[in-house]
Amino acid sequence: MSVHEIPDELNTLERSAEQERARLAGLTSDDYDTQLRRWRQASAAFQAAVTEHAATAQISRYELEQAVKKAVRHPEPKDGAADE
């Protein structure tokens, strides 16, 4: 079973969760706690959407999650970008 097309919504949710995680750097005390809650909320939204899409599409939830994370965190170069 392979994941063919990743809905844009999943990419957007994962990107948002990653941005919230990155904002934790350098924070302390209450600022850190507040940002940690934002990251957890964004991450939970991503996880819920992955679970829902995998169930609807009848595909592996794990494979879908990994495909989205790879697409967001390690995007393939645009056409011709690797040739330059």
Side-chain angles (χ1 to χ4, degrees):
M1 165 57 237
S2 65
V3 179
H4 297 284
E5 291 185 30
I6 299 171
D8 289 338
E9 175 193 9
L10 295 181
N11 286 331
T12 300
L13 288 169
E14 171 59 9
R15 202 170 290 113
S16 175
E18 278 298 291
Q19 289 170 347
E20 295 298 342
R21 182 194 58 77
R23 290 184 181 119
L24 286 167
L27 297 179
T28 58
S29 192
D30 290 340
D31 292 335
Y32 181 87
D33 293 340
T34 300
Q35 186 58 39
L36 183 62
R37 280 191 295 279
R38 288 183 185 135
W39 174 39
R40 287 180 176 165
Q41 289 171 348
S43 182
F46 167 69
Q47 293 295 327
V50 167
T51 299
E52 181 180 337
H53 182 73
T56 301
Q58 296 183 339
I59 57 177
S60 166
R61 189 211 172 285
Y62 174 79
E63 288 182 21
L64 176 61
E65 179 182 356
Q66 295 308 305
V68 174
K69 287 182 176 187
K70 180 180 179 186
V72 170
R73 297 177 188 183
H74 308 287
E76 294 183 15
K78 302 245 188 254
D79 291 341
D83 297 337
E84 295 175 13

